[in-house]
Amino acid sequence: MFSVSNDGCQFLIGLALRCGGALAEAMHRVRIARHGPSRSRLRRRLGIGRDTPLTSRVAELGDQSNRSSRIAQTSGTSGEPKRVAYSRRRLAAVRWVFVDSFLRAYRALRVRRTSLYVFGPLDDDGSLSGLLLTEGGRPSYLSTLQAPYRIHATPELRLLRATYGAAAVRLWVLALSNPGVLYSTNPSTLSAFFDQLEDDWQRCTALVRDWTGRSTGMETDLLRVARRLASRGYRERLQRIAASPGSLPITAWAPAVQVYVCWTGGYVAPFLERLERHLPAARFRRIPMYSMSTETIETIPDFRCAETAFLPAALGVYCEFLEAGGPREAARLLPPDRLRVGAVYELVASNGYGLRRYCTDDLFRVERFVGGLPDLRFMRRRGLAYSFTGEKLTGVHVSLAFERLRSEFSRHLAGHALTCFPSRRPASELPCYRLVVVQAGQGRASSGSGLAERFDRLLGEANGEYRAKRRSGRLGGVRLERVTLRELRARLPDGGAAGLDSQFKFLPLYPRLWEDSGID
């Protein structure tokens, strides 16, 4: 009976959210229409003048003296991690961008079931996502109906996670609540969850089997949790999971899922391809996530066209642009309305939390103009580079080599991601780069002789200095490594702390030594 009342409340929540989406969309269009005057006022308020210098190094941002502020740390994949202070007011502003985007998306895309499950860190991992998802106490009944992922903060779920593992608890919550929308900042996190279900189904379903069999100690505490989440048909879904000897598709245990949202820019295409195996485009709609970093929000979504646009119009953020490849000079900065369709630019951001003409290193291509503002599609990181002896290998060089390598070794590399690390081990040999094949799932071998040698030649074709250094004997040949996504994640800062959480960013080139983690 409680599942029927839960679904009734969820329907009313969804109705209210869609009405809220209509209001949010109207307010959004007014802000876009008045962007020019608002931008001028913001520039005066921030004190941005013609001679305000550009900066690319920011150690700590925000009000560090505010005792209520909390520190969000960047992943540090392309250098030292930055520490950014977030007051309660600032966190609320970032949350509102997220909520506003979903309200407008629900209305524009006619999402029927608006309940949202977020694949975020289950503990505060020091990231901005961790701060945003941290609960101040036990979430309310209505909030867990709309956002069932919030139930993970309760003591009962923390205990279950320690016993069964995160994937098993996520599956139990998803099957009980049957949400309509999935969200994952990094598609690799969502992909890894599905891969884990496929590779280790028996372990991931142990909680469901014990629950349906009502093991000792699971009756009292968890029944209250289950009643807050359960939607119609939950018993049949859980029983089907418990009875299945092998992995089931998501349509069997969360059939209401209609939409999933994740980051699609940059270098995540291999994970998006793997996700489509589990969430095929014919059945599920993918919504790209807007661009933001720990330092600042960069774009916000606009749903007025058939394809989602991303506009540099976040409240309180003053955006300027530099042509990609050009010098970083204040005199060369361009306002949004002077960009050219098809051109690539670096975004330079200022805001009220300490950023003054901060060069984000994020490069965007202008797809079109919507409402008088450029639709920005993230391309790559500008500052992604490494050099042992003057070769200055960049993420662009590596990406070009990967593109050709994939076409030549398509059979061996299908379903696998590729990345690259500099390496100095063994110390008695020349420094080199390591081609890293990130295998899909656990224990799946990737074969193909000649991969490292061919990648070495392709790097030389993309970067003449690399080729010259190889010929002169100043760089060693490429070495091949095969790892799982979890093993790759463990090599990055704080990688082993919380699994595949929001700190993970997949890049074509990690400008940090392969052996820095000490894992070999």
Side-chain angles (χ1 to χ4, degrees):
M1 187 67 185
F2 49 83
S3 62
V4 177
S5 61
N6 285 351
D7 279 356
C9 289
Q10 175 56 52
F11 173 79
L12 294 176
I13 292 171
L15 186 62
L17 291 179
R18 284 187 287 272
C19 291
L23 178 60
E25 180 63 23
M27 294 173 61
H28 167 77
R29 296 204 181 198
V30 169
R31 288 197 302 269
I32 298 303
R34 299 175 59 185
H35 183 262
S38 299
R39 175 180 164 83
S40 298
R41 288 194 297 271
L42 180 60
R43 176 172 180 151
R44 290 193 296 271
R45 180 161 63 85
L46 295 178
I48 304 297
R50 180 179 300 177
D51 299 326
T52 301
L54 280 69
T55 181
S56 58
R57 291 185 176 275
V58 180
E60 295 192 355
L61 299 172
D63 185 3
Q64 302 287 331
S65 63
N66 189 336
R67 292 185 178 181
S68 66
S69 292
R70 301 180 64 188
I71 302 299
Q73 183 169 293
T74 66
S75 61
T77 51
S78 57
E80 288 299 315
K82 304 181 186 72
R83 291 167 53 83
V84 182
Y86 272 84
S87 63
R88 291 180 181 176
R89 182 177 179 181
R90 188 178 184 184
L91 278 173
V94 174
R95 282 196 186 99
W96 172 247
V97 173
F98 185 86
V99 171
D100 173 71
S101 298
F102 271 89
L103 287 175
R104 292 186 290 110
Y106 288 154
R107 174 188 173 275
L109 304 178
R110 295 184 172 88
V111 176
R112 293 190 299 274
R113 188 171 178 85
T114 59
S115 57
L116 169 70
Y117 186 92
V118 174
F119 283 80
L122 298 180
D123 294 304
D124 186 354
D125 60 356
S127 68
L128 177 56
S129 294
L131 296 186
L132 291 170
L133 295 175
T134 298
E135 297 287 347
R138 185 181 291 272
S140 68
Y141 166 66
L142 292 180
S143 68
T144 50
L145 280 184
Q146 170 55 29
Y149 67 90
R150 297 183 65 177
I151 205 71
H152 287 290
T154 61
E156 297 91 341
L157 270 291
R158 291 181 185 277
L159 181 61
L160 279 185
R161 182 153 45 97
T163 305
Y164 292 94
V169 179
R170 286 192 190 278
L171 179 62
W172 184 70
V173 171
L174 285 163
L176 276 170
S177 59
N178 193 22
V181 182
L182 304 180
Y183 173 89
S184 174
T185 301
N186 298 302
S188 56
T189 305
L190 190 52
S191 173
F193 172 71
F194 283 113
D195 286 343
Q196 192 171 357
L197 292 185
E198 200 171 69
D199 295 332
D200 200 4
W201 178 255
Q202 291 302 308
R203 184 166 181 264
C204 291
T205 57
L207 171 57
V208 172
R209 291 196 305 276
D210 287 351
W211 171 257
T212 55
R214 290 297 195 275
S215 291
T216 303
M218 299 186 69
E219 290 279 357
T220 307
D221 293 338
L222 290 185
L223 187 58
R224 182 171 59 253
V225 172
R227 284 176 173 172
R228 294 180 65 178
L229 295 175
S231 63
R232 280 177 291 186
Y234 76 95
R235 286 192 180 90
E236 291 78 7
R237 293 192 295 273
L238 292 173
Q239 287 169 359
R240 188 172 180 183
I241 291 171
S244 177
S247 63
L248 294 172
I250 188 173
T251 50
W253 43 267
V257 173
Q258 177 187 2
V259 170
Y260 67 103
V261 184
C262 65
W263 175 244
T264 61
Y267 320 103
V268 298
F271 299 106
L272 297 176
E273 292 170 5
R274 281 158 58 180
L275 265 181
E276 287 201 4
R277 292 176 47 240
H278 305 287
L279 302 167
R283 167 68 171 75
F284 301 92
R285 176 159 186 170
R286 180 172 69 215
I287 302 176
M289 181 191 170
Y290 56 86
S291 298
M292 70 173 295
S293 63
T294 305
E295 296 91 328
T296 184
I297 297 168
E298 298 177 334
T299 64
I300 57 173
D302 185 287
F303 301 103
R304 71 184 72 186
C305 302
E307 185 180 5
T308 305
F310 298 94
L311 311 180
L315 283 174
V317 181
Y318 186 81
C319 294
E320 299 171 283
F321 298 87
L322 290 169
E323 289 193 13
R328 283 175 166 171
E329 298 173 355
R332 293 179 177 270
L333 287 167
L334 298 170
D337 59 355
R338 289 186 57 192
L339 306 188
R340 293 178 290 106
V341 173
V344 178
Y345 300 90
E346 178 183 8
L347 189 146
V348 178
S350 304
N351 63 23
Y353 300 101
L355 289 182
R356 291 295 182 274
R357 285 190 166 165
Y358 175 68
C359 298
T360 63
D361 278 334
D362 290 339
L363 299 182
F364 296 86
R365 185 187 72 250
V366 179
E367 191 75 13
R368 55 185 169 170
F369 273 76
V370 175
L373 290 174
D375 175 10
L376 302 178
R377 304 302 171 92
F378 179 82
M379 297 293 291
R380 60 184 183 273
R381 296 278 295 174
R382 175 174 179 163
L384 202 62
Y386 199 87
S387 186
F388 281 114
T389 179
E391 72 276 12
K392 296 184 179 125
L393 191 68
T394 70
V396 176
H397 297 142
V398 173
S399 295
L400 290 172
F402 282 164
E403 185 177 348
R404 292 187 58 185
L405 195 69
R406 284 193 174 281
S407 66
E408 296 176 18
F409 290 82
S410 57
R411 184 169 62 88
H412 302 295
L413 297 178
H416 302 309
L418 298 174
T419 187
C420 181
F421 280 77
S423 174
R424 287 187 179 275
R425 186 170 293 179
S428 59
E429 298 183 13
L430 293 169
C432 67
Y433 289 87
R434 299 199 182 220
L435 168 64
V436 182
V437 179
V438 186
Q439 298 169 164
Q442 299 286 336
R444 301 179 186 178
S446 175
S447 58
S449 60
L451 270 173
E453 293 79 5
R454 181 56 179 153
F455 182 61
D456 191 48
R457 290 193 293 272
L458 290 172
L459 285 182
E461 293 176 18
N463 181 325
E465 286 296 324
Y466 178 88
R467 182 173 62 251
K469 300 304 188 287
R470 286 283 290 117
R471 287 177 177 172
S472 64
R474 295 164 69 180
L475 280 177
V478 169
R479 293 171 178 261
L480 179 65
E481 300 286 344
R482 296 185 178 92
V483 299
T484 65
L485 182 60
R486 190 167 298 277
E487 289 167 342
L488 170 67
R489 178 65 180 86
R491 289 186 173 272
L492 304 178
D494 298 323
L500 296 168
D501 59 23
S502 60
Q503 286 279 25
F504 175 74
K505 294 181 179 69
F506 186 78
L507 303 174
L509 171 67
Y510 287 92
R512 51 184 290 111
L513 292 175
W514 174 252
E515 48 273 11
D516 270 358
S517 65
I519 303 172
D520 283 303

